[in-house]
Amino acid sequence: MPMPLNRYILIVAACLALCSLGWGSYRAVTSSNDLQTRYKEWSRMVQHPERLNGWQAPYHPLAYLVFTPFFLCGFTAAKWGYLALNLMCLWYVWRRLCFLVALAPTERWLFLALLGTWACVRVTLSSGQVGLLCLAAVLWAWPLHAW
């Protein structure tokens, strides 16, 4: 008995998502350009706090507080730790959006494949940006209520 067409689509989408996320993870471990730049800025900030007056940071200074636990163990540990955090945020965003939209089981896996192959997710994983962390925080607080 042949497999239904939607099962083939699901298998192809899952393979594409795995390859895409694998490439993003590989780039995160081998390059991490943004994270390396943030690490250099953070280490300069820690070594010479007197130079902070008038410093033009690309991120808000509070963002460096988020990076601090990762950077305390050195850059290599920071790369791996931040990759793990981004993958956890990706998983959380996927689960939370599936819950909010009430997707069927097959639709959940197709949505994971779409989310995993999305260029923004790969770039965020590979460069050490805080986009997934911010999106996860917003979805955690959803629905937003006016005070």
Side-chain angles (χ1 to χ4, degrees), residues 107-130:
E107 292 171 334
R108 284 185 208 140
W109 293 109
L110 286 172
F111 178 62
L112 178 63
L114 173 69
L115 189 62
T117 56
W118 200 19
C120 300
V121 171
R122 280 195 327 270
V123 168
T124 300
L125 281 177
S126 66
S127 64
Q129 298 173 355
V130 294

Side-chain angles (χ1 to χ4, degrees), residues 19-104:
C19 291
S20 183
L21 283 173
W23 176 249
S25 299
Y26 170 76
R27 296 276 303 157
V29 173
T30 58
S31 69
S32 300
N33 295 335
D34 283 1
L35 192 63
Q36 188 170 19
T37 304
R38 301 296 87 82
Y39 178 73
K40 289 176 184 176
E41 291 169 351
W42 177 85
S43 60
R44 256 183 279 148
M45 183 175 64
V46 170
Q47 292 171 356
H48 304 288
E50 69 276 359
R51 294 184 187 172
L52 289 179
N53 292 338
W55 181 49
Q56 298 294 321
Y59 285 149
H60 190 278
L62 291 178
Y64 292 93
L65 290 177
V66 173
F67 290 131
T68 297
F70 297 102
F71 292 160
L72 286 175
C73 297
F75 181 66
T76 304
K79 277 199 305 189
W80 285 99
Y82 205 70
L83 173 63
L85 177 70
N86 271 326
L87 289 174
M88 287 188 289
C89 288
L90 176 65
W91 178 83
Y92 178 77
V93 165
W94 170 65
R95 294 294 296 170
R96 183 74 172 138
L97 288 174
C98 287
F99 172 76
L100 289 173
V101 181
L103 294 176

